Amino acid sequence: MRLLVLGTGVMAKNQLARFPLIDGVTVVGAVDTDPERLSAFADKFNIEKRFLSLEEAIAWGEFDAATNVTPDRIHHPTTMALIAAGKHVFCEKPLAENYAKALEMTEAAEKAGVINMVNLTYRNVAPLQRAREMVLAGELGTIRHVEASYLQSWLVSRAWGDWRTESTWLWRLSTGHGSNGVLGDVGIHILDFAAYGAATDIDHVFARLKTFNKAPGGQIGEYLLDANDSFTMSVDFANGALGVIHASRWATGHLNELKLRIYGERGSLEVIHRPSGSELHGCLGEDVETATWTKIEVEPVATNYQRFAEAVASGIQPDPNFRHAANLQKVLDLAMVTERERRELKV
């Protein structure tokens, strides 16, 4: 697979720590509108072909697939152009700013017959994959209740940088710069984490969103800090279970933690993922009577990057695809409506 990298920011660097290690994958070009950033990135990863616009790269055309790591609001126009050129697309999340655009991208990719995949990175968490297998195998019985959280602390910690002075973080706090806040940024991750692990879809949603004051006048330079910082969400799942999902950037003491608990009539599972690693715990069988939890060992799983490369080679569409990400975006869009109207909505 000859791969083009579209966008050369933090996530592009993360991806290029992985894609070149896959047999048969060659990174053949990079695109960025900032010539200095493009040059530094291409030099670092020994990429020969460099383009200041996607149009230039498409005119060149010597690539099979592209990984789209542009800012959120750029995903739609650039992905549509790549699809029109017949290129396979690996797109960062969220797929688009809203469901309408995500659906347009989905339908275009399906009509063109190109491989399409969204980088919901926590699908790479082996304990999550194992939890889903156990749910589908009926080891927990009927699922009754699900709770999930995504906790970050970069608004109270400088572990990843200073959000007050770095555009990398400031744009995520401003709707005027294309951000839908923590809901749009990591909400799609935790919704997927919960629904995928519990092996079901979200059916109804009611959400509350909160934006806290972070600077005098709620603004730093050109950035109006009006995007939501925290959300709580109650959901019904298609399998009948009730769910509670929440996320925050104010979770002091949690750099980047996802947690999922799945409660069934015969047992329960807990998945925890942190930068230091991932674990799966279960309370099953006779342990239910004593509320004893045991660590469950899991085998490694293929990453999204590996599965995308395999899909391009085989022509077999993998999951999570554009349609799945569009359906998650619909839930996120409706969550914002429920906040405004203070009422539950059916997905």
Side-chain angles (χ1 to χ4, degrees), residues 16-344:
L16 284 215
R18 296 168 174 83
F19 266 124
L21 302 179
I22 303 171
D23 287 344
V25 174
T26 303
V27 179
V28 295
V31 183
D32 201 298
T33 56
D34 184 319
E36 291 185 6
R37 187 168 57 201
L38 173 62
S39 180
F41 180 87
D43 287 347
K44 177 179 175 64
F45 295 102
N46 299 313
I47 301 171
E48 180 181 356
K49 290 292 184 178
R50 308 166 187 200
F51 306 95
L52 291 174
S53 72
L54 178 58
E55 290 76 15
E56 292 176 23
I58 289 175
W60 171 62
E62 297 299 315
F63 62 100
D64 307 303
T67 178
N68 192 339
V69 281
T70 58
D72 296 355
R73 61 181 174 183
I74 309 300
H75 290 176
H76 174 266
T78 51
T79 295
M80 292 297 289
L82 287 164
I83 293 170
K87 306 300 183 182
H88 308 293
V89 183
F90 185 79
C91 188
E92 272 300 325
K93 61 76 199 169
L95 183 57
E97 293 175 273
N98 56 55
Y99 175 65
K101 289 183 177 179
L103 184 61
E104 184 182 2
M105 295 160 72
T106 299
E107 292 177 343
E110 291 176 351
K111 183 177 180 179
V114 297
I115 298 298
N116 57 92
M117 191 171 175
V118 176
N119 191 24
L120 293 168
T121 51
Y122 299 108
R123 290 291 185 93
N124 300 332
V125 175
L128 179 69
Q129 299 274 358
R130 180 64 182 130
R132 177 181 173 87
E133 291 175 358
M134 295 175 71
V135 170
L136 290 172
E139 294 185 44
L140 276 65
T142 302
I143 305 303
R144 300 299 191 192
H145 191 85
V146 176
E147 56 177 301
S149 62
Y150 194 145
L151 304 178
Q152 295 181 323
S153 61
W154 58 265
L155 284 174
V156 291
S157 166
R158 292 181 174 82
W160 292 2
D162 188 351
W163 64 267
R164 297 168 184 82
T165 60
E166 300 177 17
S167 60
T168 300
W169 304 107
L170 279 169
W171 81 264
R172 298 176 185 275
L173 305 174
S174 174
T175 60
H177 288 76
S179 175
N180 283 326
V182 70
L183 181 71
D185 189 15
V186 304
I188 192 168
H189 276 314
I190 195 59
L191 290 182
D192 184 64
F193 206 75
Y196 184 77
T200 185
D201 294 320
I202 294 172
D203 193 57
H204 287 78
V205 59
F206 177 73
R208 294 295 304 274
L209 313 177
K210 186 77 171 183
T211 304
F212 297 96
N213 184 44
K214 295 176 285 296
Q219 188 164 353
I220 296 178
E222 66 180 277
Y223 299 92
L224 180 63
L225 309 181
D226 59 344
N228 59 84
D229 302 320
S230 296
F231 77 78
T232 60
M233 186 183 295
S234 62
V235 302
D236 288 347
F237 289 98
N239 65 1
L242 185 66
V244 180
I245 302 172
H246 67 101
S248 180
R249 292 168 172 158
W250 289 98
T252 307
H254 298 273
L255 291 180
N256 195 69
E257 177 191 276
L258 291 86
K259 182 180 289 185
L260 171 64
R261 285 178 171 171
I262 308 167
Y263 302 103
E265 60 182 356
R266 291 170 48 197
S268 299
L269 293 173
E270 177 185 70
V271 181
I272 302 176
H273 175 75
R274 301 185 180 100
S276 58
S278 311
E279 292 185 352
L280 174 63
H281 301 93
C283 181
L284 304 162
E286 295 181 359
D287 286 342
V288 170
E289 301 300 330
T290 57
T292 301
W293 289 77
T294 304
K295 183 177 179 180
I296 300 172
E297 298 298 330
V298 298
E299 296 295 323
V301 297
T303 66
N304 288 344
Y305 314 106
Q306 291 170 315
R307 293 190 297 111
F308 179 71
E310 290 169 1
V312 171
S314 68
I316 300 173
Q317 176 63 50
D319 182 62
N321 58 19
F322 279 15
R323 185 162 292 279
H324 174 73
N327 290 339
L328 289 177
Q329 190 61 50
K330 184 179 182 182
V331 177
L332 296 175
D333 287 2
L334 290 176
M336 289 187 279
V337 177
T338 69
E339 159 67 15
R340 292 195 300 267
E341 300 183 359
R342 291 292 197 269
R343 66 187 179 96
E344 179 186 79

